[in-house]
Amino acid sequence: MNNRYNRHIILSEIGEAGQNKINNARVLVIGAGGLGCPILQYLAAAGVGTLGIIDFDDVDETNLQRQILYGKKTLGINKAIAAKERLRDLNDLITINTYSEPLTYQNAVTLFNQYDIIVDGSDNFETRYLVNDACIISEKPLVYGAIFKFEGQVAVFNHNGGPSYRCLFPSPPPSGSVPNCSEIGVLGVLPGIIGTLQANEVLKIILGIGEQLSGKLLCFNALDNQTTILNVNKSMEHFEKVLNEKPRFEQKELSITCDTDMIVSLQEITSFSEVQFIDVRELHEEPKLTGTNIIQIPLSSLSDQLHKISENRQKIFFCQSGIRSKKALAIAKNHHKSLCYSLKEGANELLQQLKNMQHENA
């Protein structure tokens, strides 16, 4: 073991005692995507004794631009499982636990209680607020990271009396109002930069060295290499609000989860008899799709307009890339709507399919 971790051990700030701390640490990583891949790779290489990986998504070809643990051989495989196989080859001395399921209010606190540090590599606001609140309730430090096009953020929350994510962002933006990287794009190397910074914060917390980003938000711009650190003030109001919700926490529902068998492809829906398409993109988004069997209800207002969708027809939610349509499906399910599906493909592919059908029927 000493030979594997020699470059750590010869550092006077770490030594054998510090490496033992790393080997005994238990870290849970939320999401094995763009951020999760470098986080997991460096923590596994460093010898973090127990790594947990939770991700219910499968590897897709579009992931390969930035999610460095995967290759063509892992396409279609659950990300947590695929990541574990790669990490086992990197370091077979550590324990890797995989959870190929969504993170929900029902399982978050129980899961977090099994680990020392929680690392957020998620890509949506619903999960970020869930992770933050579960960290407060389980009293776990949270290493946060986020990316957007060419910019990234890193911070440490709920650590040594420091602020939480809600102290910086008290409430989430309206659903669907902020696109994620699958909808707006992201520079391929950016999650590597931000994820590595997150892994660095994890090791500093384990070792108790350096100046951690507790109470600070590091902002990085890949276009001009500018790094800015902002101070984050703690607000006990947000902590108290979350803790007051604790008795009801496990009864809440997370609107982004849905059954994979309710996600369909364009090919599959050709066998459906009566179909209604629901466009959950914002009104300004292109391309425009019109037709007697297509209605537009933006995701941000879907809950209030569910009465507009058909009760009897098979309902297909679609968006630009299949992300928001999954959320729309979950919202419909939470309101006990039946015969609802999320379309894997996006508006461009659907438009082409409709054109082809019109041509065939001409």
Side-chain angles (χ1 to χ4, degrees), residues 3 12 36 39 47 50 54 60 64 70 201 214 224 298 302 329 357:
N3 189 50
S12 59
I39 294 166
T50 301
I54 180 166
D60 182 83
L64 304 184
Y70 312 123
E201 292 303 306
S214 178
D224 57 18
L302 181 62
L329 171 60
M357 292 172 62

Side-chain angles (χ1 to χ4, degrees), residues 1-7 9 16 19-20 23 47 91 93:
M1 184 181 78
N2 285 1
N3 189 50
R4 173 183 281 271
Y5 304 121
N6 174 262
R7 299 303 190 272
I9 293 172
E16 288 195 11
Q19 187 59 48
N20 285 334
N23 297 150
N91 191 346
L93 299 176

